[in-house]
Structure formats: C-alpha cells, structure tokens
Amino acid sequence: DVLVFLPGAGEIRRVQERLADLPARVLPLYGELAAAEQDAALEPDPGGARRVILATNVAETSLTIPGIRVVVDSGLMRRSVFDPVTGMSRLETQRISRASADQRQGRAGRVAAGQCYRLWSEGAQRSLAAFTAPEIADADLAPLALELAGWGAADAAALRWLDAPPAATLAGARDLLRRLGALDAAGRMTPHGQELARIPAHPRLAHLLVEARRRG
C-alpha cells in the first residue's frame, strides 16, 4: 500500500480525481472526514486490493496504517497562522521541517522494509527548518486568554508551560477580550466573559452569538 502526504483536503480531492482510473483503491484521510471514511483508510482491504491513501499530516504521527510499504511525500503542510495586523487567523501552505520529513519517511518502514519518495531536492532538504514551531507560537491566543481568566490565572508566566505563549500575542488577546467586554480593566473575567466561556466557539464568535440573542 502507498501513503501519499498532501497539504490539505482540496489537494487530496484533486489527486483522487486524477487517480480515478488507477487499478487500486484510492482513499482519502483527513480530519474532517466522516468516521466510516477514516476507518476505510485505516483498515486493510478485505479483498487484498492495493490501496493508495491520500492523507494530510494527520497520518504523520498519531495514526498507524497497516500495510504501508511506500510513502510519497509532497513536503507540504497546511497550518493556521495568526495575523496580528488583521486580528484573524488564516491557513498557510508551508514547507515541512526535517523532523516532520523523518516522521513521514518512517511510515514506510513500520511493517517491513519500504521506500520513501520525497518530491524535493537534496538542496531543499538541507534548507528545511530542523523542527516545526509549536502551534502556540503562531496561534490566536484569545481563547487561551479567556480560559486563563476563568482560572483566575492573571500571570501566565506563573504557570509551567512546555512552550510559553508569546507575551505580546497574549497581551493583544487580552486587549481584544477587554474590548469585547469579557475582561475588566484588571484582567478579571466579567459576567459577559463567563457567558462567552460557556459557548464552544472563538470569543469573537461567542460575543456575536450572545449579542445577537440579546438584540433579538
């Protein structure tokens, strides 16, 4: 079986269409798929047919896919990056790190000796970052800031982190929450903030929902 790493669902659908005539089962695998479709990619074919599994980096470390002997790696991933200028997150297609490339390569050797085909040059390999930056370094921290306020943790530096949130980004997130009325001037959670915290959505969207209900 073959495991192909692609950056996102759109690329997976396009490659799946291109491989429609391939004499093998071509299966997608990404986080938003229905459970039954994910299970189909994670289980051997009952009739022994060869499978080509088109996956995002969800298959990089967290899942074991039986039967994989070949990996084809595009060297790309899609990542949510917070833009402090707009105050919003956007998805960016980025090169993977060398550590991710090694993880993906290892998928070809889980069950037996295998092959990994990387779709980039040796020179490009040397230019890759050693490791992928932790998500907290690039994320929108407004949900975290609201949760910390709910805990009564006014000073994030007093907590022990694997990777501490960037101070400037966290300060910007708290400023947003004050403007939404979720925090008071001292950084404590307001009753409105408590309402927002009960809604499983970003504080901006939770504020929109609460205000829409209030205004009828």
Side-chain angles (χ1 to χ4, degrees):
D1 293 341
V2 181
L3 175 62
V4 183
F5 282 101
L6 295 162
E11 289 83 358
I12 286 174
R13 285 191 290 269
R14 287 196 293 275
V15 173
Q16 193 171 11
E17 289 171 5
R18 295 281 293 274
L19 300 181
D21 297 330
L22 198 70
R25 289 187 68 200
V26 181
L27 301 165
L29 179 60
Y30 53 92
E32 291 76 25
L33 274 180
E37 292 181 274
Q38 292 194 35
D39 289 345
L42 297 176
E43 297 169 358
D45 185 82
R50 191 178 196 186
R51 300 179 305 153
V52 177
I53 298 162
L54 309 176
T56 62
N57 58 0
V58 70
E60 191 174 297
T61 56
S62 57
L63 301 171
T64 296
I65 305 173
I68 298 299
R69 296 281 298 276
V70 178
V71 165
V72 179
D73 188 359
S74 69
L76 299 171
M77 65 176 179
R78 191 150 294 136
R79 185 176 169 95
S80 179
V81 177
F82 178 65
D83 183 352
V85 176
T86 63
M88 303 292 284
S89 295
R90 65 177 186 274
L91 287 174
E92 285 187 358
T93 302
Q94 301 177 346
R95 302 292 300 181
I96 62 173
S97 66
R98 291 197 300 274
S100 288
D102 289 344
Q103 285 278 3
R104 294 179 176 192
Q105 176 181 271
R107 291 282 154 175
R110 283 285 180 97
V111 294
Q115 292 286 335
C116 176
Y117 298 96
R118 290 176 172 168
L119 306 186
W120 63 94
S121 67
E122 287 288 345
Q125 172 71 12
R126 290 191 291 272
S127 69
L128 296 178
F131 298 97
T132 305
E135 186 177 354
I136 200 169
D138 298 323
D140 180 352
L141 298 184
L144 173 63
L146 186 64
E147 190 165 354
L148 291 176
W151 296 348
D155 181 13
L159 301 176
R160 295 176 65 188
W161 302 86
L162 289 174
D163 296 285
T169 309
L170 188 58
R174 285 176 169 152
D175 180 60
L176 168 67
L177 294 176
R178 279 191 288 269
R179 287 186 283 122
L180 293 177
L183 301 182
D184 63 20
R188 294 184 295 263
M189 185 180 278
T190 63
H192 181 61
Q194 292 170 1
E195 273 195 282
L196 302 192
R198 285 194 289 270
I199 298 174
H202 188 282
R204 286 178 184 271
L205 298 176
H207 175 73
L208 178 72
L209 293 169
V210 169
E211 278 295 295
R213 183 179 61 196
R214 186 179 67 81
R215 299 181 190 198

